[in-house]
Amino acid sequence: QMCIRDSNHVDGGKSQPLCPQCYNNPPFEEQHMKKSVMGCADCRHPDCRHSLATNYVCDCVDEQCTGCMAFEPGSTGKWKVSCNTCVMYVKLPPTSTKITVVRRECEDCGARLLNLLFPEGKSPLPLHETNFQGCMFCSTGLAPLCAVSYTHLTLPTKRIV
C-alpha cells in the first residue's frame, strides 16, 4: 500500500507517492544518513514501479530547471508526466487505461517513449489505435494530445478586516 506525501498545496496535485517499505528501510545507504524523506519521484530503485528510475522520461523541459520529468503511475484518469523539482507537467490522454514508460528513446529528442493502451472505441489517436508506443513530444499522433503546463500554487487568501 502506498502513502501519499503532499509536500505543498498546489492546484493540479503536486503530491507524490511514498513507499512504506522504502520509508522504513531506505534502499540506498546515503538515504540512511539524510534526515529528509525521499519520495518516489527521487528514488533510483530499479525494480519499483513508482521510482524515478522506472518512470524517467526526460530532463525537465523548463530550461531554468535541473529536475527530471517522470511519469506518475498513480495519476490514473488524469495521467501526467511531471517534474520532480518544479511545477512543470505534461497532461497525457485521459482515456488511456494504462500507460508505461518504455526503455527505448525517441530518435528525434531523446525522451523515453510511452506505451499507451486505450479501450476499443475510446482512442483519441488519428488512426484510433488501441495500443500505441511513441514520444509525447515528437510522435505525430500523440504530441498534439499532450499539453505542457505549469501547476499554480494555491495561496491562502487573507481576510482584510
Side-chain angles (χ1 to χ4, degrees):
Q1 182 178 355
M2 297 299 289
C3 298
I4 301 296
R5 179 180 76 169
D6 193 2
S7 56
N8 52 6
H9 296 287
V10 197
D11 182 24
K14 190 67 173 179
S15 56
Q16 301 174 357
L18 181 63
C19 175
Q21 174 63 30
C22 292
Y23 179 77
N24 293 320
N25 304 299
F28 305 106
E29 190 61 37
E30 69 270 11
Q31 195 58 34
H32 286 287
M33 307 301 182
K34 289 184 178 180
K35 298 283 184 203
S36 65
V37 176
M38 177 179 62
C40 296
D42 297 314
C43 181
R44 298 179 315 275
H45 196 284
D47 299 325
C48 179
R49 72 179 194 99
H50 293 281
S51 74
L52 177 62
T54 304
N55 295 302
Y56 173 82
V57 175
C58 62
D59 291 340
C60 185
V61 294
D62 184 334
E63 294 175 5
Q64 298 174 343
C65 180
T66 59
C68 300
M69 300 291 288
F71 171 64
E72 292 188 22
S75 61
T76 309
K78 293 184 178 182
W79 301 109
K80 62 184 171 181
V81 171
S82 61
C83 180
N84 65 348
T85 303
C86 74
V87 293
M88 170 68 73
Y89 71 100
V90 178
K91 291 181 186 176
L92 302 172
T95 56
S96 181
T97 55
K98 183 177 182 181
I99 299 177
T100 53
V101 179
V102 181
R103 298 257 181 234
R104 227 173 73 230
E105 294 180 353
C106 174
E107 293 177 7
D108 295 327
C109 73
R112 285 176 55 185
L113 304 181
L114 300 176
N115 191 57
L116 295 90
L117 296 176
F118 296 97
E120 195 69 43
K122 299 246 180 170
S123 174
L125 298 167
L127 300 177
H128 305 291
E129 298 105 320
T130 56
N131 189 357
F132 181 84
Q133 189 174 102
C135 176
M136 67 181 188
F137 300 115
C138 302
S139 295
T140 55
L142 181 59
L145 304 172
C146 298
V148 177
S149 189
Y150 288 93
T151 50
H152 301 287
L153 292 175
T154 305
L155 301 174
T157 50
K158 290 184 179 181
R159 182 179 260 185
I160 302 174
V161 181

